Structures are given as C-alpha cells and as structure tokens.
Amino acid sequence: MEQDTKLGRRALMGGALAMTAGLGATALARPALAQGKFPSRPITIVVPIPAGGGTDYAARLIAEPMGVLLGQPVVVENRPGGNDVVGVTSVLRAPQDGYTLLMGYCGTMAGRAAIGGLGAIDTVADFVPIGQVSDTPQLFVVHPSVPAKTLQEFVAYAKANPGQVNYASAGNGSMHHLGTELLKSRAGIDMLHVPYRGTGETISDLIAGRIQFYMNSPPPLVSLVRDGRVRALCVSSNERHPGLPDIPSLAENGMRDLPLNVWFALYAPRNVPAPIRAALTEAMRTALAQEDLKRRAFEAGSLVRFEGPEVVAERLRREIGGWRQIAEAANIRAD
C-alpha cells in the first residue's frame, strides 16, 4: 500500500511536469486544485450494485490512486437495490458538487436505460461522464457438469436440451441478460433466464451447478476458472484476450462481432461545475496511466482503457439505441 502511494505521488509529480504545456481539461483542472476549493473533503464513488462484481472492482481500482492525486480520500460505497435505481437515484439526490459520483456499468447506463428500467432517470441527460475506466470482453463460462469445452459444443448441447439450460443475469436489462439473449438469437438456442441481485449470489449458484451458463467481465470469474470451479468456453471478442491467452476467442468458435464488451465509466450529475469535472477527469486519466494499476487490472482480466467524457457520452447514446432494438426483438421489458 505504501509503495502504491509513493508510486501515485511520483506519478502526480511527473504528470504535473508533463502538463505544464497542456490545454483544455488540464488547464481547467489546475486552478480548481491549486485554489484549494476542490476537493476539501473525501469524495464518494457510489456503486449501485452489490460488492464483488465488475462495477465494484472498477470503482476500487481507481479510488485509492485518485485519492492520492486529489489529496483527499476517495471512498467506495455500495448502494444496491431496485435494479440499480437506489444507488443511481442517491447520486442525483446528493448535492451536485463533485463529492458524490457514480461508477457506471454499461448494463446500468445503457442496458437498463434502453428498456426503461431506471424509471424517470435519463442516463444521457442526467449524468455527465468523467471518463472510462476499462473496456473488456466478457468471459463465457459453464458449470463443469456441462459436457462442453467450447462454445460450439455448448451450442450443440443447448440445442439438444431446449429450455433445460439456466443462465444467470443481474436482472432485466443487464449486460448478462441482453448479451445472452443476443447470443441465443445468433446461435438459435433456448435457455432459461434466472435473474439475481448480485454477482456473489450468482457465482454461488454457478459453483453449485444450479446455473449452467454465465457471461460476465473477467475479474469475478478468472480465479474460478483457474481453480477449475467453472469452465471457460471463450471470450466475447473476435481476438483472444491478451491477459487470458489460453482462452479461445469468439471467432475461433465460429461466431463474430457480438457487441458484448463490458465497460465501466465514472459519472457526475450534470450540474457539477465544469472545472470540478475537469479536475476529476485529469486525476482519473493520470491514475489509469500508472503501470502498476494497469498490471494489477490486467492480471485480474480487466483491460484498462481511459476515454474522455465526449467519447464516453457518444458511446452511451449509441449503445442505448442498439440495446433497445435487441430488447424489442426479445420482448424484454423492465421488471
């Protein structure tokens, strides 16, 4: 921990030297930090999903290094409930001063939004991105009792046993739900959807064999694969995951171009002042550039990829439209 802190401080000093000629967001961030107006107390990142999943991992990955850079602790608080509505709403109800932020998961921000699962909350209009943390293919896994070692073998097994294979999700509109429905449509198979409230419950039932198929970002699953408690079929991308070189790609299993990458991005409510958002963006950019952080994420199966607010905002708009079409085709509605 002490070593990480020292690395973070050195990264901040190096970043400050490198930014002396910078423009745009960096120019806005420096006055906000130098004047001591922000931050003057701890910052909270709200995770609207129970601990143990990819969203929680993304928040905790950046919390400590951002805190070092900003000079104030950044704490992670899990506020699950109501299919993510409880946590998301709590961020909007807090003072819009930059001290309460949201770790957004694509399933929450795009998937649930696409099916109206967040009620009156408009993730595009009500939030402004700070930046993207990671962008990672999903991992397809099965319980070892399933007689399939590849996705192609699993598809054949599911076709031979229609409606007899259970798959898990974090509820209607989650990436596990919409993504598996897309896979079902492309592969021509029939599986039973079993929604859960959190990754911890899902993994318990997966290990116990009550769930046969599951897709999720790698961090919650990699250790289970390595221990032999679940079997990896493939990753959801056309190429192999560089951190999981022994696991085949989607293309190697006879399928291509499933838009299933899982991304996580930090968001602020829309009325947080622009200079504060810019300071947060710059701290996040610098934190995610640290080699030790990227290495730890890589070993857990997560691919760090910072993107700025404009890129994240455009991706969100595009994916809401795409998932809305898939939800309509599969007759998926909000709970």
Side-chain angles (χ1 to χ4, degrees):
M1 187 72 70
E2 181 180 348
Q3 183 179 6
D4 286 350
T5 301
K6 289 179 179 179
L7 288 171
R9 287 172 179 160
R10 286 200 294 270
L12 175 60
M13 293 172 64
L17 291 172
M19 291 189 291
T20 53
L23 297 174
T26 306
L28 290 171
R30 194 181 301 109
L33 293 172
Q35 292 169 11
K37 294 181 180 179
F38 179 86
S40 60
R41 53 188 172 85
I43 295 168
T44 297
I45 298 177
V46 172
V47 174
I49 295 169
T55 313
D56 186 66
Y57 179 84
R60 296 182 191 280
L61 181 70
I62 65 169
E64 183 179 350
M66 282 189 67
V68 171
L69 291 163
L70 292 166
Q72 289 287 341
V74 176
V75 299
V76 177
E77 184 174 335
N78 297 87
R79 298 181 190 171
N83 284 332
D84 308 345
V85 173
V86 170
V88 175
T89 300
S90 73
V91 177
L92 291 177
R93 289 179 175 171
Q96 299 198 10
D97 52 12
Y99 288 96
T100 306
L101 306 172
L102 175 72
M103 181 53 68
Y105 154 58
C106 54
T108 301
M109 307 302 286
R112 295 209 197 282
I115 66 170
L118 297 177
I121 297 171
D122 184 332
T123 55
V124 172
D126 294 337
F127 288 95
V128 178
I130 298 299
Q132 179 178 278
V133 178
S134 59
D135 183 1
T136 308
Q138 295 200 72
L139 187 58
F140 295 1
V141 300
V142 293
H143 184 264
S145 64
V146 175
K149 294 184 179 180
T150 67
L151 179 62
Q152 291 167 318
E153 290 179 357
F154 175 75
V155 168
Y157 174 77
K159 285 183 176 179
N161 297 273
Q164 301 302 305
V165 176
N166 295 337
Y167 81 87
S169 86
N172 281 6
S174 64
M175 277 293 290
H176 328 99
H177 184 206
L178 292 172
T180 308
E181 289 297 322
L182 177 60
L183 174 65
K184 285 171 55 179
S185 176
R186 288 278 296 271
I189 56 178
D190 179 22
M191 294 190 286
L192 179 64
H193 175 217
V194 182
Y196 287 81
R197 289 179 294 180
T199 303
E201 292 181 357
T202 304
I203 287 176
S204 293
D205 274 9
L206 176 65
I207 293 171
R210 287 184 283 273
I211 294 297
Q212 288 79 50
F213 177 87
Y214 186 47
M215 67 168 67
N216 200 349
S217 58
L221 298 173
V222 167
S223 63
L224 302 179
V225 172
R226 289 172 178 162
D227 292 344
R229 288 183 285 177
V230 301
R231 181 185 302 126
L233 299 179
C234 68
V235 292
S236 66
S237 53
N238 293 339
E239 300 80 25
R240 292 197 178 198
H241 186 305
L244 306 170
D246 295 332
I247 299 176
S249 69
L250 187 69
E252 290 175 271
N253 277 269
M255 197 176 295
R256 299 184 63 86
D257 303 327
L258 287 180
L260 297 179
N261 270 28
V262 173
W263 53 267
F264 301 96
L266 189 63
Y267 284 84
R270 65 180 178 184
N271 290 329
V272 170
I276 290 177
R277 299 200 313 266
L280 290 165
T281 295
E282 196 54 48
M284 184 179 176
R285 184 199 311 272
T286 304
L288 290 175
Q290 295 178 10
E291 291 302 322
D292 180 64
L293 180 150
K294 290 192 288 186
R295 176 187 57 77
R296 286 186 285 111
F298 185 80
E299 290 173 352
S302 178
L303 301 180
V304 168
R305 182 181 177 184
F306 176 82
E307 295 287 2
E310 295 80 10
V311 172
V312 177
E314 173 55 32
R315 181 174 192 172
L316 178 61
R317 287 191 290 267
R318 182 177 67 251
E319 291 197 3
I320 287 175
W323 288 124
R324 185 173 290 131
Q325 292 179 2
I326 291 168
E328 290 173 354
N331 198 29
I332 296 172
R333 296 182 175 86
D335 294 329

